[in-house]
Amino acid sequence: MSFDLKNIISIRDFSKSDINYILNLANELEPIANSKQVCHDLDGKLLGVMFYEPSTRTRLSFETAMKRLGGDVIGFNQKQGTSIQKGEVLYDTAQIISQYSDAIVLRHDMEGAARFISNNVDVPVINAGDGAGQHPTQTLLDLYTIHKNMGGINNIKIALVGDLKYGRTVHSLVYALAMYNVEMIFIAPAELQMPPEIINDLEKMNCKFRMSKTLYDNIDDIDIIYMTRIQKERFPDAQEYNKVKGEYTLSAKNIEDSDVIVMHPLPRVDEISFDVDKLPNAMYFKQAFNGVPVRMALLDSLIEK
Ligand code: CP
């Protein structure tokens, strides 16, 4: 098997074979991440991180992944203290970071930012989230988590819950799941349902899905609940946010007699109560850990040795 992608921009650029390649390599690298060791695959290489939006997991798991492969990291996690404050544009900043590093990880609020940069620099570019667009590396760690828990990605029923309109994690994930024999239930208030263009794409892909407004009636019938945060920062109008905030909350009493797996890309606000954390169903912290081996696999595959 080989991996031929030069950039990681959208999960739609991946074939099933590309996904399998990354999941298999992540599985091989996981013992290094688990035992907090370092190998030497990327000795002397530098990763350039450009984060224009806040992040905990994506940025720190990329940094951890690079360091566990023997490399190092440069970059910024906010505009403050960089020449972006003097008016430097994304194109120029990326040109500079590409001169210093062997790959770029970019998080930006503008949909399409990572694709634009990948067309204009000579090092691999990884999309770490572009506005409400895509979050392909999150999808790969989600698939890894599903595979580990379900023994594969076929023949599962998954409910995606919360902010399906603005949520880039679910926008990426549904395109990946559509490649497998998976049934999806989109649970959201009407204002936050999956965008029509994605629904059209899923129909063309003959994907099995349905929409619902209720979470609790569906729990007995599903294998995985993928909760998401209703993202205040994406709403153009605070009143619209106030109408839907707190719409879905999952607590231990909703699932304690069930073996449904609970995933969440995190951060959470109030959609999963803390009493779920101690249940065997809670998979979201392990899911966040899985970001390390999966991002190790991506960096190991993309960065020229
Ligand atoms: N899941 C995720 O993207 O988390 P961060 O925003 O903390 O990176």
Side-chain angles (χ1 to χ4, degrees):
M1 269 205 293
S2 67
F3 184 76
D4 297 324
L5 291 176
K6 302 288 176 242
N7 302 288
I8 308 298
I9 306 300
S10 165
I11 201 69
R12 301 189 76 186
D13 300 332
F14 278 71
S15 64
K16 256 184 173 176
S17 149
D18 295 325
I19 291 172
N20 286 340
Y21 183 93
I22 294 300
L23 301 197
N24 286 336
L25 184 54
N27 197 43
E28 275 174 38
L29 293 167
E30 188 176 329
I32 300 169
N34 251 330
S35 57
K36 302 197 167 121
Q37 303 284 309
V38 171
C39 70
H40 300 285
D41 284 15
L42 295 183
D43 269 358
K45 301 291 179 183
L46 277 182
L47 181 66
V49 297
M50 300 170 54
F51 275 67
Y52 289 74
E53 280 193 326
S55 168
T56 297
R57 278 145 293 275
T58 310
R59 182 174 67 85
L60 294 177
S61 62
F62 262 116
E63 293 198 15
T64 305
M66 190 63 183
K67 291 181 180 187
R68 297 230 174 278
L69 291 166
D72 211 338
V73 182
I74 59 160
F76 55 85
N77 57 24
Q78 54 178 353
K79 297 175 199 173
Q80 200 178 1
T82 73
S83 288
I84 301 162
Q85 285 195 301
K86 302 176 202 162
E88 186 165 67
V89 295
L90 172 64
Y91 173 90
D92 283 354
T93 307
Q95 290 297 337
I96 302 311
I97 304 286
S98 74
Q99 314 281 325
Y100 301 158
S101 63
D102 298 286
I104 287 177
V105 176
L106 174 69
R107 173 168 287 190
H108 202 279
D109 51 2
M110 186 179 69
E111 217 170 307
R115 179 85 66 194
F116 168 67
I117 289 310
S118 71
N119 290 332
N120 287 286
V121 298
D122 293 331
V123 297
V125 174
I126 303 174
N127 181 5
D130 58 339
Q134 284 264 318
H135 197 349
T137 69
Q138 176 71 46
T139 294
L140 291 164
L141 75 90
D142 292 343
L143 295 176
Y144 187 72
T145 305
I146 292 170
H147 198 290
K148 288 250 155 184
N149 279 278
M150 307 300 299
I153 308 176
N154 283 309
N155 305 316
I156 56 165
K157 205 183 257 196
I158 180 168
L160 303 156
V161 185
D163 182 355
L164 309 185
K165 178 177 181 180
Y166 297 112
R168 57 193 173 203
T169 60
V170 288
H171 295 170
S172 285
L173 183 56
V174 294
Y175 282 108
L177 292 175
M179 289 191 243
Y180 298 87
N181 180 20
V182 169
E183 192 175 334
M184 295 185 255
I185 308 163
F186 301 147
I187 302 177
E191 308 89 300
L192 290 182
Q193 258 300 353
M194 198 61 82
E197 61 275 18
I198 297 183
I199 295 291
N200 282 343
D201 287 339
L202 295 177
E203 279 168 352
K204 281 185 207 148
M205 294 166 87
N206 291 322
C207 171
K208 271 188 270 177
F209 69 89
R210 66 182 169 86
M211 295 186 210
S212 172
K213 285 184 186 163
T214 59
L215 168 60
Y216 310 112
D217 297 350
N218 283 300
I219 286 176
D220 289 344
D221 192 30
I222 49 190
D223 302 303
I224 299 172
I225 302 176
Y226 191 98
M227 295 295 287
T228 64
R229 175 176 67 96
I230 298 192
Q231 302 174 90
K232 189 176 182 183
E233 69 275 21
R234 306 255 180 247
F235 281 73
D237 178 348
Q239 276 188 333
E240 292 301 308
Y241 170 73
N242 287 331
K243 271 197 240 164
V244 289
K245 75 173 184 189
E247 184 85 14
Y248 302 105
T249 54
L250 195 69
S251 55
K253 67 177 180 332
N254 303 126
I255 55 166
E256 57 201 354
D257 297 326
S258 150
D259 53 10
V260 68
I261 286 167
V262 181
M263 295 175 63
H264 191 312
L266 304 177
R268 70 173 151 188
V269 182
D270 55 6
E271 59 279 359
I272 300 179
S273 64
F274 290 102
D275 61 5
V276 176
D277 296 2
K278 62 180 186 307
L279 300 179
N281 315 64
M283 206 48 61
Y284 30 92
F285 295 131
K286 180 69 181 162
Q287 181 186 356
F289 166 79
N290 288 340
V292 178
V294 167
R295 290 175 171 128
M296 287 173 78
L298 286 167
L299 294 171
D300 214 11
S301 307
L302 286 173
I303 295 177
E304 252 180 56
K305 311 278 186 333

